[in-house]
Amino acid sequence: MVCTQNQEKLKPMNVKLSPHELRYKTFGSFLKEKFGYSVYKIGLDAGFNCPHRNNSREMGGCTYCNPKSFSAPSADPSLSIPEQIKGGMKLLKKRYKTEKFIAYFQTHTNTLASAEKLRRIYQEALEFDEIIGISIGTRPDCLSDKTLDLIQEVSRKTFLIMELGLESANDKTLNKINRNHTVKDFTIAINKLKKRSIHTCAHIILGLPGEDLSDMMITANYLSFVGVDGVKIHHFHVVKGTDMGKDYYKEKIETFTFEEYMAVVIKFIEHLDPGIIVHRLVGDCPDELLIAPKWNLGKSQILKSINDEIARLNSWQGKCLKNS
Ligand code: SF4
């Protein structure tokens, strides 16, 4: 499914077309608008596990997952939450000259404990004056009613984002990558969160094995339809210490070249509702864990190239949605 409408008839919604940033709704600009200053996230590891990797790894976990590949430098489960926050703040204050932060419970499944334990852990982060919100990463099938009650309670005190892994809106793909949940599970979870007015963000991966452009555009359309507040877009990469990493050398697992990815991610944004906040445009993995693709480009270089290409193509978020 590609954009086939008459582009001349489409108008970007409230979008000025000169600065790159305004061609899609970035997380940075959303935070600046909401708080009036720049805010950065501090990645934390609260020592949770993942239910999908537990049970003697009978279920095996997602075939692409090595939690070490998406943990922030500040995330160290041997340290307490306050210690991790202090370390993260020190780093980010120096790097970005910023004073306000969101505590991001990132590693594994951060709702996998009793409501009492979760309340204590989240509260530890909120004790800091510099922490103006929290973000909680989890699976769509790990939100019990008690947990939802707690999250709603915390969201009344602070800005709170629930980040749920979806990866693809195609059940066949979810099965293939062993996500062990369905698209319907995600829909149910998002609806429960929306009912409680909780801000949501979906994680998705572009370029998963077996998916073509049309599958990925279906994911963009689904996100627009289900009404998430934000999306984190990652490119598919093969990482050491994963099932896919083992298969990479045996099977022909393909990954995008940078040019291919640029074209796909721009198309994805064109199919996304303009109200959805784009938290990120590309995945991240430490060099020592990365098997493929090796683009040999820094993150700022990657973002600049994508932004330049969006401008060159006169593209914008929602360009391929019907002007209804
Ligand atoms: S991606 Fe998330 S749900 Fe899947 S195995 Fe890793 S931590 Fe668990």
mmCIF file with all atom_site columns, all heavy atoms in Angstrom, residues 50-53 61-62 64-67 70 108-109 139 167 179, ligand 1:
data_model
loop_
_atom_site.group_PDB
_atom_site.id
_atom_site.type_symbol
_atom_site.label_atom_id
_atom_site.label_alt_id
_atom_site.label_comp_id
_atom_site.label_asym_id
_atom_site.label_entity_id
_atom_site.label_seq_id
_atom_site.pdbx_PDB_ins_code
_atom_site.Cartn_x
_atom_site.Cartn_y
_atom_site.Cartn_z
_atom_site.occupancy
_atom_site.B_iso_or_equiv
_atom_site.pdbx_formal_charge
_atom_site.auth_seq_id
_atom_site.auth_comp_id
_atom_site.auth_asym_id
_atom_site.auth_atom_id
_atom_site.pdbx_PDB_model_num
ATOM   1   N  N   . CYS A 1 50  ? 11.484 -10.045 32.113 1.00 0.00 ? 50  CYS A N   1
ATOM   2   C  CA  . CYS A 1 50  ? 10.468 -10.056 31.063 1.00 0.00 ? 50  CYS A CA  1
ATOM   3   C  C   . CYS A 1 50  ? 9.721  -11.386 31.155 1.00 0.00 ? 50  CYS A C   1
ATOM   4   O  O   . CYS A 1 50  ? 10.363 -12.438 31.122 1.00 0.00 ? 50  CYS A O   1
ATOM   5   C  CB  . CYS A 1 50  ? 11.132 -9.908  29.699 1.00 0.00 ? 50  CYS A CB  1
ATOM   6   S  SG  . CYS A 1 50  ? 9.985  -10.289 28.369 1.00 0.00 ? 50  CYS A SG  1
ATOM   7   N  N   . PRO A 1 51  ? 8.390  -11.357 31.259 1.00 0.00 ? 51  PRO A N   1
ATOM   8   C  CA  . PRO A 1 51  ? 7.641  -12.608 31.423 1.00 0.00 ? 51  PRO A CA  1
ATOM   9   C  C   . PRO A 1 51  ? 7.835  -13.533 30.231 1.00 0.00 ? 51  PRO A C   1
ATOM   10  O  O   . PRO A 1 51  ? 7.687  -14.745 30.322 1.00 0.00 ? 51  PRO A O   1
ATOM   11  C  CB  . PRO A 1 51  ? 6.183  -12.140 31.499 1.00 0.00 ? 51  PRO A CB  1
ATOM   12  C  CG  . PRO A 1 51  ? 6.164  -10.823 30.809 1.00 0.00 ? 51  PRO A CG  1
ATOM   13  C  CD  . PRO A 1 51  ? 7.508  -10.201 31.070 1.00 0.00 ? 51  PRO A CD  1
ATOM   14  N  N   . HIS A 1 52  ? 8.188  -12.932 29.115 1.00 0.00 ? 52  HIS A N   1
ATOM   15  C  CA  . HIS A 1 52  ? 8.328  -13.669 27.879 1.00 0.00 ? 52  HIS A CA  1
ATOM   16  C  C   . HIS A 1 52  ? 9.698  -14.357 27.784 1.00 0.00 ? 52  HIS A C   1
ATOM   17  O  O   . HIS A 1 52  ? 9.931  -15.218 26.962 1.00 0.00 ? 52  HIS A O   1
ATOM   18  C  CB  . HIS A 1 52  ? 8.136  -12.663 26.734 1.00 0.00 ? 52  HIS A CB  1
ATOM   19  C  CG  . HIS A 1 52  ? 8.067  -13.270 25.391 1.00 0.00 ? 52  HIS A CG  1
ATOM   20  N  ND1 . HIS A 1 52  ? 7.598  -14.538 25.153 1.00 0.00 ? 52  HIS A ND1 1
ATOM   21  C  CD2 . HIS A 1 52  ? 8.412  -12.767 24.179 1.00 0.00 ? 52  HIS A CD2 1
ATOM   22  C  CE1 . HIS A 1 52  ? 7.671  -14.780 23.860 1.00 0.00 ? 52  HIS A CE1 1
ATOM   23  N  NE2 . HIS A 1 52  ? 8.165  -13.738 23.248 1.00 0.00 ? 52  HIS A NE2 1
ATOM   24  N  N   . ARG A 1 53  ? 10.607 -13.951 28.660 1.00 0.00 ? 53  ARG A N   1
ATOM   25  C  CA  . ARG A 1 53  ? 11.932 -14.593 28.680 1.00 0.00 ? 53  ARG A CA  1
ATOM   26  C  C   . ARG A 1 53  ? 12.088 -15.473 29.908 1.00 0.00 ? 53  ARG A C   1
ATOM   27  O  O   . ARG A 1 53  ? 13.070 -16.168 30.044 1.00 0.00 ? 53  ARG A O   1
ATOM   28  C  CB  . ARG A 1 53  ? 13.036 -13.533 28.683 1.00 0.00 ? 53  ARG A CB  1
ATOM   29  C  CG  . ARG A 1 53  ? 13.011 -12.635 27.473 1.00 0.00 ? 53  ARG A CG  1
ATOM   30  C  CD  . ARG A 1 53  ? 14.097 -11.597 27.553 1.00 0.00 ? 53  ARG A CD  1
ATOM   31  N  NE  . ARG A 1 53  ? 15.412 -12.155 27.375 1.00 0.00 ? 53  ARG A NE  1
ATOM   32  C  CZ  . ARG A 1 53  ? 16.008 -12.294 26.193 1.00 0.00 ? 53  ARG A CZ  1
ATOM   33  N  NH1 . ARG A 1 53  ? 15.405 -11.903 25.099 1.00 0.00 ? 53  ARG A NH1 1
ATOM   34  N  NH2 . ARG A 1 53  ? 17.205 -12.818 26.099 1.00 0.00 ? 53  ARG A NH2 1
ATOM   35  N  N   . GLY A 1 61  ? 11.542 -15.690 24.351 1.00 0.00 ? 61  GLY A N   1
ATOM   36  C  CA  . GLY A 1 61  ? 11.669 -14.253 24.129 1.00 0.00 ? 61  GLY A CA  1
ATOM   37  C  C   . GLY A 1 61  ? 11.550 -13.910 22.658 1.00 0.00 ? 61  GLY A C   1
ATOM   38  O  O   . GLY A 1 61  ? 11.507 -14.791 21.793 1.00 0.00 ? 61  GLY A O   1
ATOM   39  N  N   . CYS A 1 62  ? 11.493 -12.625 22.358 1.00 0.00 ? 62  CYS A N   1
ATOM   40  C  CA  . CYS A 1 62  ? 11.387 -12.184 20.959 1.00 0.00 ? 62  CYS A CA  1
ATOM   41  C  C   . CYS A 1 62  ? 12.706 -12.508 20.256 1.00 0.00 ? 62  CYS A C   1
ATOM   42  O  O   . CYS A 1 62  ? 13.780 -12.343 20.850 1.00 0.00 ? 62  CYS A O   1
ATOM   43  C  CB  . CYS A 1 62  ? 11.092 -10.694 20.909 1.00 0.00 ? 62  CYS A CB  1
ATOM   44  S  SG  . CYS A 1 62  ? 9.650  -10.267 21.904 1.00 0.00 ? 62  CYS A SG  1
ATOM   45  N  N   . TYR A 1 64  ? 14.503 -11.136 18.150 1.00 0.00 ? 64  TYR A N   1
ATOM   46  C  CA  . TYR A 1 64  ? 15.463 -10.063 17.846 1.00 0.00 ? 64  TYR A CA  1
ATOM   47  C  C   . TYR A 1 64  ? 16.027 -9.421  19.114 1.00 0.00 ? 64  TYR A C   1
ATOM   48  O  O   . TYR A 1 64  ? 16.851 -8.516  19.046 1.00 0.00 ? 64  TYR A O   1
ATOM   49  C  CB  . TYR A 1 64  ? 14.767 -8.954  17.020 1.00 0.00 ? 64  TYR A CB  1
ATOM   50  C  CG  . TYR A 1 64  ? 13.566 -8.388  17.747 1.00 0.00 ? 64  TYR A CG  1
ATOM   51  C  CD1 . TYR A 1 64  ? 13.701 -7.349  18.653 1.00 0.00 ? 64  TYR A CD1 1
ATOM   52  C  CD2 . TYR A 1 64  ? 12.294 -8.937  17.570 1.00 0.00 ? 64  TYR A CD2 1
ATOM   53  C  CE1 . TYR A 1 64  ? 12.608 -6.871  19.354 1.00 0.00 ? 64  TYR A CE1 1
ATOM   54  C  CE2 . TYR A 1 64  ? 11.204 -8.466  18.266 1.00 0.00 ? 64  TYR A CE2 1
ATOM   55  C  CZ  . TYR A 1 64  ? 11.370 -7.432  19.151 1.00 0.00 ? 64  TYR A CZ  1
ATOM   56  O  OH  . TYR A 1 64  ? 10.292 -6.965  19.853 1.00 0.00 ? 64  TYR A OH  1
ATOM   57  N  N   . CYS A 1 65  ? 15.579 -9.888  20.297 1.00 0.00 ? 65  CYS A N   1
ATOM   58  C  CA  . CYS A 1 65  ? 15.823 -9.122  21.527 1.00 0.00 ? 65  CYS A CA  1
ATOM   59  C  C   . CYS A 1 65  ? 17.078 -9.527  22.288 1.00 0.00 ? 65  CYS A C   1
ATOM   60  O  O   . CYS A 1 65  ? 17.256 -10.684 22.663 1.00 0.00 ? 65  CYS A O   1
ATOM   61  C  CB  . CYS A 1 65  ? 14.610 -9.257  22.442 1.00 0.00 ? 65  CYS A CB  1
ATOM   62  S  SG  . CYS A 1 65  ? 14.907 -8.590  24.093 1.00 0.00 ? 65  CYS A SG  1
ATOM   63  N  N   . ASN A 1 66  ? 17.924 -8.542  22.521 1.00 0.00 ? 66  ASN A N   1
ATOM   64  C  CA  . ASN A 1 66  ? 18.980 -8.643  23.523 1.00 0.00 ? 66  ASN A CA  1
ATOM   65  C  C   . ASN A 1 66  ? 18.849 -7.371  24.354 1.00 0.00 ? 66  ASN A C   1
ATOM   66  O  O   . ASN A 1 66  ? 19.206 -6.293  23.877 1.00 0.00 ? 66  ASN A O   1
ATOM   67  C  CB  . ASN A 1 66  ? 20.359 -8.716  22.852 1.00 0.00 ? 66  ASN A CB  1
ATOM   68  C  CG  . ASN A 1 66  ? 21.461 -8.747  23.895 1.00 0.00 ? 66  ASN A CG  1
ATOM   69  O  OD1 . ASN A 1 66  ? 21.228 -8.490  25.078 1.00 0.00 ? 66  ASN A OD1 1
ATOM   70  N  ND2 . ASN A 1 66  ? 22.672 -9.054  23.455 1.00 0.00 ? 66  ASN A ND2 1
ATOM   71  N  N   . PRO A 1 67  ? 18.302 -7.476  25.583 1.00 0.00 ? 67  PRO A N   1
ATOM   72  C  CA  . PRO A 1 67  ? 18.029 -6.268  26.364 1.00 0.00 ? 67  PRO A CA  1
ATOM   73  C  C   . PRO A 1 67  ? 19.246 -5.346  26.515 1.00 0.00 ? 67  PRO A C   1
ATOM   74  O  O   . PRO A 1 67  ? 19.098 -4.131  26.649 1.00 0.00 ? 67  PRO A O   1
ATOM   75  C  CB  . PRO A 1 67  ? 17.575 -6.804  27.726 1.00 0.00 ? 67  PRO A CB  1
ATOM   76  C  CG  . PRO A 1 67  ? 17.087 -8.180  27.440 1.00 0.00 ? 67  PRO A CG  1
ATOM   77  C  CD  . PRO A 1 67  ? 17.920 -8.694  26.300 1.00 0.00 ? 67  PRO A CD  1
ATOM   78  N  N   . PHE A 1 70  ? 19.428 -2.333  24.114 1.00 0.00 ? 70  PHE A N   1
ATOM   79  C  CA  . PHE A 1 70  ? 18.624 -1.105  24.209 1.00 0.00 ? 70  PHE A CA  1
ATOM   80  C  C   . PHE A 1 70  ? 18.590 -0.543  25.633 1.00 0.00 ? 70  PHE A C   1
ATOM   81  O  O   . PHE A 1 70  ? 17.616 0.059   26.042 1.00 0.00 ? 70  PHE A O   1
ATOM   82  C  CB  . PHE A 1 70  ? 17.207 -1.290  23.640 1.00 0.00 ? 70  PHE A CB  1
ATOM   83  C  CG  . PHE A 1 70  ? 16.451 -2.502  24.135 1.00 0.00 ? 70  PHE A CG  1
ATOM   84  C  CD1 . PHE A 1 70  ? 15.836 -2.497  25.369 1.00 0.00 ? 70  PHE A CD1 1
ATOM   85  C  CD2 . PHE A 1 70  ? 16.355 -3.635  23.346 1.00 0.00 ? 70  PHE A CD2 1
ATOM   86  C  CE1 . PHE A 1 70  ? 15.131 -3.592  25.821 1.00 0.00 ? 70  PHE A CE1 1
ATOM   87  C  CE2 . PHE A 1 70  ? 15.655 -4.756  23.786 1.00 0.00 ? 70  PHE A CE2 1
ATOM   88  C  CZ  . PHE A 1 70  ? 15.036 -4.731  25.023 1.00 0.00 ? 70  PHE A CZ  1
ATOM   89  N  N   . HIS A 1 108 ? 13.548 -4.331  29.997 1.00 0.00 ? 108 HIS A N   1
ATOM   90  C  CA  . HIS A 1 108 ? 12.579 -5.414  30.242 1.00 0.00 ? 108 HIS A CA  1
ATOM   91  C  C   . HIS A 1 108 ? 11.153 -4.874  30.381 1.00 0.00 ? 108 HIS A C   1
ATOM   92  O  O   . HIS A 1 108 ? 10.820 -3.874  29.761 1.00 0.00 ? 108 HIS A O   1
ATOM   93  C  CB  . HIS A 1 108 ? 12.987 -6.242  31.469 1.00 0.00 ? 108 HIS A CB  1
ATOM   94  C  CG  . HIS A 1 108 ? 14.214 -7.077  31.234 1.00 0.00 ? 108 HIS A CG  1
ATOM   95  N  ND1 . HIS A 1 108 ? 14.263 -8.066  30.300 1.00 0.00 ? 108 HIS A ND1 1
ATOM   96  C  CD2 . HIS A 1 108 ? 15.428 -7.051  31.830 1.00 0.00 ? 108 HIS A CD2 1
ATOM   97  C  CE1 . HIS A 1 108 ? 15.455 -8.635  30.317 1.00 0.00 ? 108 HIS A CE1 1
ATOM   98  N  NE2 . HIS A 1 108 ? 16.187 -8.032  31.234 1.00 0.00 ? 108 HIS A NE2 1
ATOM   99  N  N   . THR A 1 109 ? 10.362 -5.527  31.260 1.00 0.00 ? 109 THR A N   1
ATOM   100 C  CA  . THR A 1 109 ? 8.921  -5.236  31.354 1.00 0.00 ? 109 THR A CA  1
ATOM   101 C  C   . THR A 1 109 ? 8.652  -4.534  32.686 1.00 0.00 ? 109 THR A C   1
ATOM   102 O  O   . THR A 1 109 ? 8.657  -5.170  33.743 1.00 0.00 ? 109 THR A O   1
ATOM   103 C  CB  . THR A 1 109 ? 8.129  -6.558  31.246 1.00 0.00 ? 109 THR A CB  1
ATOM   104 O  OG1 . THR A 1 109 ? 8.490  -7.185  30.011 1.00 0.00 ? 109 THR A OG1 1
ATOM   105 C  CG2 . THR A 1 109 ? 6.630  -6.313  31.255 1.00 0.00 ? 109 THR A CG2 1
ATOM   106 N  N   . ARG A 1 139 ? 4.929  -4.622  27.978 1.00 0.00 ? 139 ARG A N   1
ATOM   107 C  CA  . ARG A 1 139 ? 4.250  -5.387  26.931 1.00 0.00 ? 139 ARG A CA  1
ATOM   108 C  C   . ARG A 1 139 ? 2.747  -5.129  27.019 1.00 0.00 ? 139 ARG A C   1
ATOM   109 O  O   . ARG A 1 139 ? 2.227  -4.877  28.103 1.00 0.00 ? 139 ARG A O   1
ATOM   110 C  CB  . ARG A 1 139 ? 4.493  -6.896  27.150 1.00 0.00 ? 139 ARG A CB  1
ATOM   111 C  CG  . ARG A 1 139 ? 5.895  -7.374  26.879 1.00 0.00 ? 139 ARG A CG  1
ATOM   112 C  CD  . ARG A 1 139 ? 6.047  -8.853  27.289 1.00 0.00 ? 139 ARG A CD  1
ATOM   113 N  NE  . ARG A 1 139 ? 5.040  -9.714  26.703 1.00 0.00 ? 139 ARG A NE  1
ATOM   114 C  CZ  . ARG A 1 139 ? 5.143  -10.306 25.500 1.00 0.00 ? 139 ARG A CZ  1
ATOM   115 N  NH1 . ARG A 1 139 ? 6.235  -10.154 24.785 1.00 0.00 ? 139 ARG A NH1 1
ATOM   116 N  NH2 . ARG A 1 139 ? 4.170  -11.070 25.039 1.00 0.00 ? 139 ARG A NH2 1
ATOM   117 N  N   . GLU A 1 167 ? 5.581  -3.499  17.526 1.00 0.00 ? 167 GLU A N   1
ATOM   118 C  CA  . GLU A 1 167 ? 6.566  -3.908  16.497 1.00 0.00 ? 167 GLU A CA  1
ATOM   119 C  C   . GLU A 1 167 ? 5.964  -4.012  15.111 1.00 0.00 ? 167 GLU A C   1
ATOM   120 O  O   . GLU A 1 167 ? 6.548  -3.519  14.159 1.00 0.00 ? 167 GLU A O   1
ATOM   121 C  CB  . GLU A 1 167 ? 7.314  -5.209  16.871 1.00 0.00 ? 167 GLU A CB  1
ATOM   122 C  CG  . GLU A 1 167 ? 7.757  -5.344  18.338 1.00 0.00 ? 167 GLU A CG  1
ATOM   123 C  CD  . GLU A 1 167 ? 8.411  -4.113  18.950 1.00 0.00 ? 167 GLU A CD  1
ATOM   124 O  OE1 . GLU A 1 167 ? 8.799  -3.193  18.214 1.00 0.00 ? 167 GLU A OE1 1
ATOM   125 O  OE2 . GLU A 1 167 ? 8.513  -4.033  20.189 1.00 0.00 ? 167 GLU A OE2 1
ATOM   126 N  N   . ARG A 1 179 ? 6.656  -12.772 19.334 1.00 0.00 ? 179 ARG A N   1
ATOM   127 C  CA  . ARG A 1 179 ? 6.274  -11.735 20.304 1.00 0.00 ? 179 ARG A CA  1
ATOM   128 C  C   . ARG A 1 179 ? 5.377  -12.302 21.401 1.00 0.00 ? 179 ARG A C   1
ATOM   129 O  O   . ARG A 1 179 ? 5.296  -11.754 22.491 1.00 0.00 ? 179 ARG A O   1
ATOM   130 C  CB  . ARG A 1 179 ? 5.516  -10.606 19.587 1.00 0.00 ? 179 ARG A CB  1
ATOM   131 C  CG  . ARG A 1 179 ? 6.379  -9.595  18.893 1.00 0.00 ? 179 ARG A CG  1
ATOM   132 C  CD  . ARG A 1 179 ? 7.161  -8.727  19.848 1.00 0.00 ? 179 ARG A CD  1
ATOM   133 N  NE  . ARG A 1 179 ? 6.355  -7.907  20.732 1.00 0.00 ? 179 ARG A NE  1
ATOM   134 C  CZ  . ARG A 1 179 ? 6.856  -7.160  21.709 1.00 0.00 ? 179 ARG A CZ  1
ATOM   135 N  NH1 . ARG A 1 179 ? 8.152  -7.114  21.924 1.00 0.00 ? 179 ARG A NH1 1
ATOM   136 N  NH2 . ARG A 1 179 ? 6.070  -6.442  22.483 1.00 0.00 ? 179 ARG A NH2 1
HETATM 137 S  S1  . SF4 B 2 .   ? 11.588 -7.337  23.293 1.00 0.00 ? 1   SF4 B S1  1
HETATM 138 FE FE1 . SF4 B 2 .   ? 10.621 -6.949  25.269 1.00 0.00 ? 1   SF4 B FE1 1
HETATM 139 S  S2  . SF4 B 2 .   ? 9.001  -8.504  25.370 1.00 0.00 ? 1   SF4 B S2  1
HETATM 140 FE FE2 . SF4 B 2 .   ? 10.419 -9.214  23.807 1.00 0.00 ? 1   SF4 B FE2 1
HETATM 141 S  S3  . SF4 B 2 .   ? 11.856 -10.573 24.909 1.00 0.00 ? 1   SF4 B S3  1
HETATM 142 FE FE3 . SF4 B 2 .   ? 12.747 -8.508  24.859 1.00 0.00 ? 1   SF4 B FE3 1
HETATM 143 S  S4  . SF4 B 2 .   ? 12.162 -7.562  26.804 1.00 0.00 ? 1   SF4 B S4  1
HETATM 144 FE FE4 . SF4 B 2 .   ? 10.793 -9.341  26.463 1.00 0.00 ? 1   SF4 B FE4 1
#
